[in-house]
Amino acid sequence: MRIRSMTTRLAIPLVIVGLIATGCGSGDTPSPTGEAALGTTNDINPKDVSELRDGGNLRLATSALPQNWNAQHIDSDAEGAAILRPTMPRAFTTDASAELSINTDYFTDISLTATEPQQVVTYTINPKAVWSDGTPITWEDIASQANAQSGRDKSYLVGNISGFDRIEKVERGVDDRQAVVTFNKHYAEWRGQFAGNSFLYPKSVTSSPEAFNKSLVNGPGPSAGPFIVQSVDRGQGRVVLGRNPNWWGATPKLDTITFSVLDSAARLPALQNNEIDAVGLADINEVQTARGTAGIAIRRAPSNQWSHLTFNGAPGSILEEPGVRVAISKAIDRQGIVNAIQNGLVQDPKPLNNHVFVAGQKGYQDNSLGFDPTAAAKELDALGWKLNGDVREKNGRRLEIRDVMYQSDTWVNIAQIIQQNLAQIGVKLNIETKPGAGFFSENIIPGNFDVGQWSWVGDPFPLSSISQVFGLYPDDVQGNYGRIGSPELNALIEQTVSELDPAKAIELANQVDRKVFEEGHSIPLMQVAGNIAVRDTLANYGAAGLASLDYTKIGFVK
């Protein structure tokens, strides 16, 4: 799949299942069902760095090179963010239970220093922290990015405003290494603004719309991680990360991390041929193949990545009417899809029944409408879509829809099941597969689909993305590529993201989720099982679940 990020949610087509958030365990090959549970454990083969050899190249796959190396730009996606993650600063790290810790490589303190009359957050920057060009990281970088992502200047093509629209001002604190951020109204997920899937960028990237939109189109700019982008070979489809010579933290064990563009079908053979070191396993056949390969271990933890079907409800589209979308939703047998795709991958496969929280995450509950094809057919009849042969028609227009997805066997298998489901109620589904390059920029973002399949990647800040993906705002698509929403939903989202009481915020978020189902916005299908085949000598990498990876500790055992 390609995966897209809801900036706390990243989006992606489906080929890298399990490798955007990656993960621990021994080097054996146990049954593929997996014991790790999202929110409690993960599977990354943990080793002390003293047990790892110095050097080495971690070889990974991606379906395309980034459309834009600015991960906060609307053209970015989760695969691009995965390439950049070892190179960019983030404010917090998380463990397997999603507990937060300040990322002390970059900040010595991050505190909510006031809530009334205004919410104030103070960031104190590590005095050693510098960009890869040697420039210090200062409060001005935070101020510049807050302005760029605020949404106030529409010339900045941001993928997600993530509460930056609520920031009234960013001021210098006790010195250049402290930023005092004042909000004009409460923001529940203030910890996630430079964390999770959201990176801090230097002011040179965010100081103007021209810089934000175009300066990183052809390649990355200054970064500030243990690794930097060493080379980009578009002809070979390859990105190499090397150690950052200006890095002030722990020295990485790896020399390099290499990302190579590979089609989904080529990835497992590449792992078997010792051309890459890790690959997500999409079905039981791939699991069995990996288990039978010498030198390969299967690591397993439920992923925070999940697949879904999004409807296009833009004016003039065939699915503009909410009732039609809801009826189609009810006709799709999501349990049947999960059984077909995840049988043997997980114990007791279940569909994902929430758009905001993944199973195992605090706040998760079933808010779905349920599978009821009989009701779906009656609802379409009532809306004037009458059967004419095998396909329904209304005013001479056939209820025939285009399902657009990345070219991968798993996505096509899902689409074929949906195709069969919808045929039973007189809806014709045509399957259209697209390459990874330009998948979002040429198809999804401009709305060139009736229904679209991709994956979202969540993180420990689920409320940060609900405005981006489910809010509907004039001339500001953000991540709501189906252009579906309502003033009522917008108001409920606003109430949710303004609630500083975590328990109340969760309750409101579930009301948002139910409303998203009722508007026929999209249908969550399944949480990715998180089965990952890796080189058995690889340590501190694999199925990470909700935990963040420490790229200085990833390496190969001696």
Side-chain angles (χ1 to χ4, degrees):
M1 35 178 128
R2 260 203 89 82
I3 297 169
R4 197 151 198 83
S5 162
M6 294 154 118
T7 295
T8 17
R9 294 275 157 101
L10 286 151
I12 203 164
L14 167 69
V15 298
I16 55 171
V17 173
L19 286 184
I20 292 302
T22 52
C24 106
S26 62
D28 59 6
T29 53
S31 68
T33 52
E35 294 81 25
L38 190 67
T40 57
T41 55
N42 61 9
D43 193 6
I44 61 170
N45 188 23
K47 300 289 183 183
D48 187 86
V49 292
S50 64
E51 301 177 67
L52 307 182
R53 62 183 173 89
D54 290 326
N57 176 30
L58 174 61
R59 301 162 300 172
L60 303 174
T62 185
S63 61
L65 298 186
Q67 295 286 305
N68 193 315
W69 293 82
N70 178 357
Q72 316 312 128
H73 191 272
I74 194 170
D75 284 344
S76 65
D77 60 43
E79 289 190 292
I83 293 171
L84 289 168
R85 191 166 288 118
T87 75
M88 298 302 296
R90 290 180 292 168
F92 289 90
T93 61
T94 57
D95 63 15
S97 61
E99 290 297 317
L100 300 174
S101 299
I102 294 172
N103 191 338
T104 55
D105 282 330
Y106 303 105
F107 298 95
T108 57
D109 186 64
I110 304 170
S111 300
L112 182 65
T113 48
T115 57
E116 299 297 341
Q118 290 179 295
Q119 179 178 342
V120 178
V121 177
T122 302
Y123 292 84
T124 303
I125 301 165
N126 185 331
K128 298 179 181 179
V130 296
W131 298 108
S132 54
D133 61 4
T135 305
I137 298 176
T138 73
W139 74 277
E140 292 180 319
D141 297 308
I142 292 175
S144 180
Q145 187 160 334
N147 176 67
Q149 288 192 244
S150 68
R152 287 186 278 271
D153 184 344
K154 303 303 181 185
S155 299
Y156 287 93
L157 303 180
V158 298
N160 184 8
I161 56 178
S162 296
F164 289 106
D165 59 327
R166 297 165 181 260
I167 292 178
E168 181 177 295
K169 58 184 177 180
V170 180
E171 298 174 294
R172 183 180 185 269
V174 296
D175 57 25
D176 284 348
R177 296 287 192 161
Q178 188 174 76
V180 180
V181 181
T182 302
F183 293 76
N184 55 32
K185 51 185 172 181
H186 287 167
Y187 182 52
E189 293 277 42
W190 57 270
R191 295 176 185 85
Q193 291 196 295
F194 301 104
N197 294 317
S198 181
F199 310 139
L200 175 63
Y201 277 84
K203 62 183 180 181
S204 60
V205 173
T206 59
S207 59
S208 70
E210 179 76 11
F212 186 90
N213 298 334
K214 298 181 180 179
S215 68
L216 304 186
V217 168
N218 295 322
S223 57
F227 291 88
I228 60 172
V229 176
Q230 182 173 291
S231 65
V232 179
D233 187 332
R234 293 195 174 275
Q236 294 293 320
R238 185 172 295 122
V239 177
V240 178
L241 309 184
R243 290 181 183 178
N244 178 1
N246 287 327
W247 176 243
W248 57 94
T251 301
K253 300 303 291 186
L254 294 168
D255 287 325
T256 53
I257 303 173
T258 300
F259 293 86
S260 298
V261 174
L262 288 175
D263 291 334
S264 57
R267 297 189 179 199
L268 187 52
L271 180 73
Q272 292 178 294
N273 293 333
N274 197 23
E275 296 167 357
I276 60 174
D277 296 307
V279 63
L281 303 174
D283 57 44
I284 190 61
N285 292 328
E286 290 189 349
V287 169
Q288 291 170 341
T289 299
R291 290 182 66 191
T293 302
I296 298 301
I298 298 175
R299 298 179 184 158
R300 310 163 317 281
S303 174
N304 57 347
Q305 178 180 326
W306 51 279
S307 58
H308 75 284
L309 187 77
T310 279
F311 295 101
N312 186 347
S317 66
I318 194 168
L319 299 178
E320 177 180 5
E321 194 170 7
V324 175
R325 301 192 301 265
V326 169
I328 289 175
S329 299
K330 293 178 180 178
I332 295 174
D333 183 4
R334 296 184 303 123
Q335 183 63 60
I337 291 171
V338 176
N339 289 344
I341 302 300
Q342 294 194 336
N343 182 39
L345 293 177
V346 299
Q347 294 176 337
D348 191 21
K350 296 291 184 185
L352 184 66
N353 293 311
N354 198 297
H355 294 85
V356 180
F357 304 102
V358 291
Q361 192 170 26
K362 187 176 182 180
Y364 179 82
Q365 67 183 44
D366 184 351
N367 296 315
S368 64
L369 302 180
F371 174 53
D372 193 344
T374 301
K378 291 179 179 178
E379 290 168 15
L380 289 175
D381 283 336
L383 291 167
W385 288 95
K386 304 295 185 180
L387 275 175
N388 183 359
D390 294 331
V391 180
R392 293 177 182 272
E393 291 186 356
K394 181 179 179 180
N395 299 327
R397 191 179 190 184
R398 286 161 54 91
L399 192 46
E400 186 171 346
I401 57 179
R402 300 165 49 242
D403 184 359
V404 174
M405 72 209 69
Y406 174 76
Q407 172 58 59
S408 105
D409 291 344
T410 300
W411 276 130
V412 172
N413 290 341
I414 291 170
Q416 289 172 339
I417 297 170
I418 296 173
Q419 187 180 55
Q420 293 166 10
N421 291 160
L422 297 186
Q424 299 302 309
I425 62 164
V427 178
K428 182 174 175 56
L429 183 83
N430 296 319
I431 298 171
E432 292 188 13
T433 60
K434 305 292 183 180
F439 177 79
F440 286 106
S441 60
E442 297 174 14
N443 302 287
I444 302 304
I445 293 173
N448 184 23
F449 64 95
D450 297 321
V451 292
Q453 293 180 208
W454 65 89
S455 284
W456 290 118
V457 176
D459 70 7
F461 309 99
L463 304 187
S464 298
S465 60
I466 60 176
S467 176
Q468 171 204 2
V469 178
F470 308 120
L472 183 63
Y473 310 102
D475 304 318
D476 190 9
V477 172
Q478 295 189 48
N480 188 349
Y481 303 122
R483 283 83 169 164
I484 295 168
S486 67
E488 295 78 15
L489 180 54
N490 282 3
L492 187 56
I493 289 171
E494 169 65 25
Q495 185 182 358
T496 303
V497 298
S498 299
E499 179 54 67
L500 293 181
D501 183 312
K504 291 180 181 178
I506 285 174
E507 181 181 344
L508 289 166
N510 275 300
Q511 293 179 33
V512 169
D513 180 52
R514 178 66 182 189
K515 186 69 173 173
V516 169
F517 275 109
E518 291 172 346
E519 290 192 350
H521 177 282
S522 53
I523 315 169
L525 296 174
M526 73 194 82
Q527 205 163 318
V528 169
N531 291 272
I532 300 173
V534 302
R535 197 79 41 210
D536 61 8
T537 55
L538 181 60
N540 300 321
Y541 187 90
L546 292 177
S548 50
L549 292 169
D550 186 339
Y551 290 92
T552 68
K553 294 181 178 178
I554 297 170
F556 297 91
V557 296
K558 293 178 179 178

